[in-house]
């Protein structure tokens, strides 16, 4: 296995996990590591689609603009997710780093040629694309049918599933702390709520002992099962 792939934090769960060492060597020959600073935009909606990437670390938001100039966040990408539009001339959304991030990037045309040679990689991409479609359908249910409490609880569960905990020494047994990649306003945008409603629901969860809020950037899940119950109350 190449040195670059050997130390990849998402080697076993990213799209390329299905490749053998020799196949990885070929893929690595067309790829490069790229560090992105928090707040930097990787691609803009309407740009020519020239890049495909695996996210190694960090969180990236996909967003678009409304007719009156407001931003609408339409997706979040986490480590092991893929970024870029294959088999298309243009990208549809802005992609901006919410945290410092590291990407493994490939020229789109070269990656498409690799897909043609490695059919198991192509099948893996299809499976992931179908999985993303199913996740989008579940998110439509979240936005359309769930209450504000259920939405916030579901979002916090989503964070625990996708991010590694940043627990501090002395944390209560069974609890885990996560750094939120989004501001309260961005969470409100994602969930279709107001910032006041998000803040109110977070405070309510804290008061009820479901979560703790060590500071404005972190959340500690104290009672994961209760949070699950609240997310599925409907």
């Amino acid at each position: 296995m190449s040195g670059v792939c050997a130390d990849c934090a998402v080697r076993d769960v990213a799209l390329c996990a299905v490749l053998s060492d020799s196949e990885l060597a070929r893929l690595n020959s067309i790829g490069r590591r790229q560090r992105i600073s928090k707040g930097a935009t990787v691609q803009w909606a309407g740009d020519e689609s020239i890049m495909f990437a695996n996210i190694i670390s960090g969180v990236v938001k996909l967003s678009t603009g409304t007719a009156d100039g407001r931003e609408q966040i339409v997706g979040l990408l986490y480590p092991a997710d893929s970024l870029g539009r294959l088999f298309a001339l243009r990208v549809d959304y802005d992609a901006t780093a919410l945290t410092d991030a590291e990407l493994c990037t490939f020229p789109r045309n070269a990656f498409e040629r690799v897909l043609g040679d490695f059919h198991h990689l192509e099948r893996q991409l299809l499976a992931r694309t179908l999985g993303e479609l199913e996740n989008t359908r579940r998110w439509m249910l979240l936005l359309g049918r769930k209450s504000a409490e259920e939405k916030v609880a579901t979002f916090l569960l989503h964070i625990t599933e996708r991010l590694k905990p940043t627990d501090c020494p002395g944390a209560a047994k069974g609890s885990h702390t996560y750094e939120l990649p989004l501001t309260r306003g961005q969470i409100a945008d994602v969930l279709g709520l107001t910032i006041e409603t998000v803040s109110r629901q977070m405070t309510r969860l804290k008061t009820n002992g479901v979560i703790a809020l060590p500071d404005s950037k972190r959340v500690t899940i104290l009672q994961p099962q209760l949070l699950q119950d609240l997310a599925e109350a409907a």
Side-chain angles (χ1 to χ4, degrees), residues 166-188:
T166 57
D167 297 337
C168 300
K173 184 178 181 180
S175 68
H176 293 290
T177 299
Y178 301 86
E179 185 169 348
L180 293 172
L182 298 164
T183 65
R184 295 287 191 274
Q186 289 171 326
I187 294 172

Side-chain angles (χ1 to χ4, degrees), residues 10 51 76 79 88 91 103 142 156 158 169 173 216:
V10 296
M51 179 268 291
L76 298 174
V91 297
L103 311 180
L142 167 73
L156 292 177
H158 174 70
K173 184 178 181 180
S216 62

Side-chain angles (χ1 to χ4, degrees), residues 3-31:
V4 173
C5 294
D7 66 2
C8 177
V10 296
R11 165 69 179 93
D12 295 329
V13 290
L15 179 64
C16 52
V18 297
L19 298 179
S20 67
D21 289 352
S22 61
E23 291 167 338
L24 274 175
R26 177 179 169 188
L27 189 63
N28 186 53
S29 71
I30 64 170

